Amino acid sequence: MIRFTKLVKSVSLLALVLLMAHCTTNEAEKNSNVQLATETKNWYDNHKQDYDAVILNYVKNLQWENAIVSTGKDGEVVEVPFTLDDNLKTSNGTATLRNDSHRLVFVKDGQQNFKTYYIQIFADDENSSNIDKSSVYYGALNNFSGKIFTQDLLTNSATSITYKNGINSKLSSTAKWREEFYDCTFLGWIGEDGSFEPIKLLYCDGGSDAPTGGGPTTGGGGGGSGVTIPTEDSAPPSCHSFDFKALPGANWQEALVKNIRFKIVLLSETGAEIIHAVSYPQPISFGAPVVNRYNTTYSAGVSADIAAKALKESIQNVVDKYGRQRVSDLVLDQYFRERLNHNYNYYMDGGRVQFNSPSATPATEYKTTFLWSDDCVLD
């Protein structure tokens, strides 16, 4: 009996020691997470002016007290939930995107720097609290169904993954993807009548043939890389090129732009050489409905932003395809026209491009910008 009592006391003491050790470990881990979150906040406060991503203009409250810290193959990651400015919602032009949440994500890169991302989470289930306090950078929960969009805030490149019960269910067909709930995502206001007024295009995504929020790529290998060069003649298009005017008595607006142009330079070990110079001195018409079939109103500023984004995407398509090839001007022209029509219609529901428009609307001069993306909504 005495031996049994001593044994019970010994086991109880061991359990107490293990419990204390576990509590000490948890407390140390908690303190380490708080320290990392504080370090991240201090870094972001000193570097947020380095980013021009659209979403950062509308952040209402970064919830550092609810920061989610995780560790994996990319090292330490801090995910900080945030809310949008009052009355702002996201929409794909057909309906308000519900059950969405937003995060800024910081991946520690070296001792004192972080890679920074914007993540938007769309949960199919109305009760999405199961993911609210979990890391999504290293993968969705096993039972998560929905979509996770990720944008690099420094380069603006973007990716999205759709999950079904925690499994990546990426679709390969552009047409099939566009039938899904998510397509182009806008930030905007919800009117009292339930209508949606976009104020900014956040991003678009789709299959392998669809535009994305990504920035320019330069290719590589082989005989060199084709790029557009940052000169006044080949910088990205400015939204200020597009002066959209509503036509009297019609649900239609248009902007005519003349002298659209860009150059493609081949970079190789021997130097740089202009291999393509594309120019359209004649006015090109960009038309769009004022109110689309989903009761979404496109203001002149929103339409200008969308047109500039579609034109930039189309120029990059040409660079990606023919940046290292010497082809005829006719081949280049046909491909550019096809891509501009495709991309503009993809971004702008019901949009139409005409290269030989009979419209009497005055044409504006094509402008470029050295900024990553200028903004015609906030001007």
Side-chain angles (χ1 to χ4, degrees):
M1 182 66 181
I2 295 177
R3 289 182 179 179
F4 178 74
T5 302
K6 289 183 177 179
L7 179 60
V8 171
K9 290 182 178 180
S10 298
V11 171
S12 300
L13 179 60
L14 177 59
L16 180 61
V17 171
L18 291 175
L19 179 61
M20 292 177 62
H22 179 70
C23 292
T24 302
T25 301
N26 286 346
E27 188 65 27
E29 181 178 354
K30 181 178 178 180
N31 291 338
S32 176
N33 291 346
V34 171
Q35 182 179 354
L36 179 59
T38 301
E39 177 189 351
T40 306
K41 181 181 184 303
N42 292 337
W43 181 90
Y44 179 68
D45 288 342
N46 292 325
H47 292 84
K48 57 185 176 183
Q49 69 277 1
D50 298 340
Y51 302 100
D52 63 353
V54 171
I55 193 65
L56 296 181
N57 296 321
Y58 305 99
V59 173
K60 178 183 179 182
N61 177 34
L62 274 173
Q63 301 168 11
W64 291 99
E65 69 279 7
N66 296 323
I68 303 161
V69 179
S70 59
T71 303
K73 62 183 181 65
D74 292 338
E76 296 175 311
V77 175
V78 179
E79 302 178 36
V80 186
F82 69 87
T83 55
L84 298 173
D85 285 339
D86 291 340
N87 300 321
L88 280 178
K89 299 292 184 181
T90 53
S91 171
N92 66 345
T94 64
T96 305
L97 299 179
R98 304 183 185 279
N99 308 323
D100 64 323
S101 57
H102 310 266
R103 296 180 186 179
L104 288 188
V105 176
F106 303 86
V107 182
K108 197 165 186 180
D109 181 22
Q111 291 298 315
Q112 296 180 338
N113 284 301
F114 294 84
K115 294 180 180 178
T116 311
Y117 302 90
Y118 162 50
I119 285 183
Q120 189 174 17
I121 307 165
F122 302 98
D124 291 345
D125 188 348
E126 291 185 2
N127 182 13
S128 59
S129 60
N130 62 330
I131 201 171
D132 290 346
K133 297 182 180 180
S134 301
S135 170
V136 296
Y137 181 86
Y138 284 118
L141 297 176
N142 291 336
N143 60 345
F144 174 73
S145 293
K147 178 178 173 181
I148 297 177
F149 168 84
T150 304
Q151 180 182 37
D152 187 319
L153 292 187
L154 189 61
T155 66
N156 286 339
S157 60
T159 59
S160 60
I161 299 177
T162 299
Y163 290 90
K164 186 67 174 179
N165 295 325
I167 299 175
N168 180 349
S169 58
K170 183 177 180 180
L171 302 176
S172 58
S173 168
T174 302
K176 186 176 181 182
W177 182 286
R178 293 199 63 185
E179 291 172 3
E180 292 296 311
F181 189 62
Y182 315 104
D183 191 355
C184 288
T185 298
F186 297 85
L187 190 69
W189 308 100
I190 298 294
E192 293 182 357
D193 59 353
S195 62
F196 181 77
E197 180 183 351
I199 61 174
K200 192 65 181 176
L201 176 68
L202 288 179
Y203 53 84
C204 286
D205 50 29
S208 59
D209 193 39
T212 70
T217 58
T218 59
S225 300
V227 300
T228 54
I229 54 178
T231 65
E232 184 179 355
D233 206 32
S234 293
S238 169
C239 64
H240 296 284
S241 303
F242 305 89
D243 184 17
F244 276 88
K245 301 292 186 184
L247 302 186
N251 181 34
W252 193 254
Q253 59 180 328
E254 67 174 0
L256 269 68
V257 185
K258 60 184 179 180
N259 291 318
I260 291 177
R261 63 197 180 275
F262 60 94
K263 295 177 180 177
I264 301 177
V265 176
L266 181 67
L267 300 180
S268 65
E269 295 179 354
T270 60
E273 176 189 0
I274 297 176
I275 62 170
H276 298 299
V278 182
S279 177
Y280 295 92
Q282 79 277 18
I284 298 176
S285 170
F286 295 79
V290 176
V291 181
N292 74 358
R293 53 183 168 165
Y294 303 110
N295 200 31
T296 296
T297 301
Y298 294 114
S299 68
V302 167
S303 299
D305 278 359
I306 294 174
K309 186 174 182 64
L311 177 56
K312 177 182 175 182
E313 200 81 49
S314 303
I315 293 173
Q316 188 59 48
N317 290 157
V318 175
V319 173
D320 292 341
K321 188 173 181 67
Y322 294 114
R324 292 183 290 174
Q325 300 181 42
R326 300 179 189 277
V327 297
S328 69
D329 291 343
L330 179 60
V331 170
L332 212 68
D333 172 67
Q334 290 178 337
Y335 184 69
F336 174 70
R337 290 175 184 243
E338 184 275 323
R339 296 315 301 167
L340 184 57
N341 274 285
H342 171 86
N343 291 337
Y344 183 63
N345 183 258
Y346 185 89
Y347 284 115
M348 175 70 77
D349 180 58
R352 185 170 68 245
V353 176
Q354 288 184 281
F355 277 75
N356 297 292
S357 172
S359 174
T361 300
T364 56
E365 190 72 25
Y366 177 63
K367 300 178 181 67
T368 58
T369 176
F370 285 94
L371 299 175
W372 182 263
S373 60
D374 51 0
D375 194 320
C376 285
V377 177
L378 299 179
D379 293 343

